[in-house]
Amino acid sequence: MRRGRSGLAAALMLAAAGAAMAQMVPTTPAALVAASAASEPASAPDTAALADQGRRVYTSLCVRCHGLNLVSNGIGFDLRQFPRDGQERFRYSVTNGLRAMPAWGGLLKPGDLDALWAYIGSVNRW
């Protein structure tokens, strides 16, 4: 008898757990999409917003030598020619300076290098 009661108790507990799980599992397509989106990690910052931030940094620090919209006025390197796979070189040059270019690493805020790179990429359409 004792064994029968514990079996019944276990069955009732499983049934209750199953009912609780059923409430947690989305069943409609909209609920599945919402559950999937909620479980994904936060996405990277919006690329357009990052490029816009980069445009502001570029305008305040870089435009004198590299020109409006990356069109060089003959002083600085023509950033329209900068290769898409040259991000490491870009980071090094901006941070530490290169030839006539001053080092900007001490003036840039966190995220400014990524924003500048996003802006250059948006102008160059990569």
Side-chain angles (χ1 to χ4, degrees):
M1 182 96 172
R2 188 171 207 180
R3 192 172 205 185
R5 283 188 186 169
S6 66
L8 178 61
L12 288 173
M13 287 174 55
L14 282 174
M21 291 296 289
Q23 290 177 350
M24 293 172 46
V25 176
T27 56
T28 65
L32 288 169
V33 169
S36 173
S39 67
E40 292 177 6
S43 63
D46 180 32
T47 305
L50 193 61
D52 189 53
Q53 175 191 346
R55 180 190 52 75
R56 289 191 302 272
V57 174
Y58 181 88
T59 301
S60 67
L61 301 177
C62 312
V63 75
R64 286 178 289 248
C65 297
H66 294 284
L68 289 173
N69 298 317
L70 313 185
V71 178
S72 178
N73 56 16
I75 296 173
F77 181 80
D78 187 346
L79 294 172
R80 294 173 298 163
Q81 305 302 313
F82 209 88
R84 181 181 193 167
D85 63 350
Q87 187 174 11
E88 186 175 325
R89 179 178 136 206
F90 170 80
R91 287 179 170 280
Y92 180 85
S93 299
V94 173
T95 303
N96 302 306
L98 185 65
R99 293 184 282 281
M101 181 172 161
W104 295 101
L107 296 173
L108 295 174
K109 297 176 189 156
D112 282 351
L113 273 174
D114 290 331
L116 280 167
W117 185 251
Y119 172 66
I120 291 169
S122 71
V123 173
N124 288 329
R125 292 185 170 92
W126 9 275

